[in-house]
Amino acid sequence: DIYALPLNATYPLISYSLVDFEVTGAELNGFVITALRVGFVTLRCQADDYYQDFSIEVLKEPVTAINFSASDFKVTEAISLNPQILPINATYPTVIYSIIGDNSTQADITDDLLTAKVPGIVTIRIKADDIQLDLVFVVKKEPVVSLNFGNSLEFKVTQNIDLEMDISPLNATYQDVSYQIVGENEIGAELNGSNLSCLRPGTVKIKANADGISCEETFTIIKEAVQSFEVISPSSFKTSEILQLQTSFYPLNATYPLPRYTLLDAGATNGTYENNQLRATLPGTIQMKAEVDDLTTYFSITVEKEAVTSIVFTSLNYFKVTQSLILTSEVYPENATYKDVEYSIITSNALESAIDN
């Protein structure tokens, strides 16, 4: 709204131009000036050979309101923060987000997305120009829907297994699993956290719990079978001895490695087997059977005599012709197999000497 003086000037037509307008980013279109930023712009008005500069202040369009509504969300979700800034032509509509107060939910705002790792309450502040809005969000857990054992339900008694769970959904918030033995525990099962061990073959029922959801499975514990064994006792012994039978087996941690021996044929040895002790009174061969777990082997043992090493006469070395002399002697060793002594006359200068019984 500018006019030239005098009113009767020959060339009163006024032209307009902007000078010193870079700070505000002002533009002139006809008789309309617009500006992008707050500041001052200089308007030059010229009519004929006369001009005059006018300084015009560009004022901001202040933010008057921020509109956004808080909503509940899960830890597995992200909330897009897209508040409405009023008026829509506000000069400084740039929004700044911040988390205020306790951040126990481990919330984070990145690229206008609000996320949290732990269920709870989080308060955020939205600020634009001089206006701010505080919003309270409730962060909910991602609940466990189902869980199932991921292990094989059969393992050997010599093994310890770490129980594994397939949890659905995979991003459930509380995935800590607790385990307990359910019902009878005749096999000596023991839980150390998620580690399961057993003393004997059999079955055991395990219950798993996570976030209020549970499941049960019955595990079968099988023996560690003997794969091979060998009788390592001596192949022979004397009648004066007692033979302890011994066996080696593989693997060393087999469940039932206790050998079972059976005397099949003692022959002429008068052999006996009792309490893992083999005895015999006469030389010969004994046939035996050994069983370990489900394996069987047959073997023979030779019984040798305990030989006489010396004989000592213990009777008198004289007697009268009117008498009979009973011959006695000691046989060594005392546990010799054959201790029956036979006597014979080698030389004699007596008349009609004889041995009878």
Side-chain angles (χ1 to χ4, degrees), residues 280-343:
T281 59
L282 295 174
T285 301
I286 296 176
Q287 301 296 330
M288 300 284 295
K289 177 175 73 172
E291 298 172 277
V292 176
D293 206 352
D294 295 330
L295 302 179
T296 302
T297 189
Y298 299 88
F299 62 100
S300 60
I301 295 179
T302 301
V303 183
E304 300 175 348
K305 71 178 182 179
E306 183 67 58
V308 174
T309 58
S310 63
I311 302 175
V312 177
F313 278 98
T314 57
S315 53
L316 297 174
N317 62 352
Y318 63 91
F319 66 103
K320 292 180 179 181
V321 69
T322 57
Q323 295 175 329
S324 293
L325 177 65
I326 296 176
L327 300 175
T328 59
S329 58
E330 293 286 344
V331 177
Y332 294 97
E334 294 182 356
N335 58 0
T337 304
Y338 299 114
K339 299 180 67 172
D340 293 338
V341 180
E342 296 180 358
Y343 299 94

Side-chain angles (χ1 to χ4, degrees), residues 174-215:
Y174 299 116
Q175 297 198 22
D176 291 337
V177 182
S178 62
Y179 302 93
Q180 64 184 102
I181 297 171
V182 180
E184 296 182 355
N185 183 14
E186 297 179 351
I187 63 174
E190 183 176 346
L191 277 170
N192 185 10
S194 63
N195 185 267
L196 175 62
S197 61
C198 300
L199 298 177
R200 293 173 291 278
T203 59
V204 62
K205 181 177 288 187
I206 304 297
K207 182 177 182 179
N209 296 274
D211 195 21
I213 303 298
S214 63
C215 71

Side-chain angles (χ1 to χ4, degrees), residues 158 224-229 247-258:
T158 53
E224 181 71 61
V226 175
Q227 299 178 23
S228 63
F229 79 99
T247 302
S248 66
F249 54 88
Y250 177 85
L252 297 178
N253 61 355
T255 305
Y256 299 120
L258 186 65

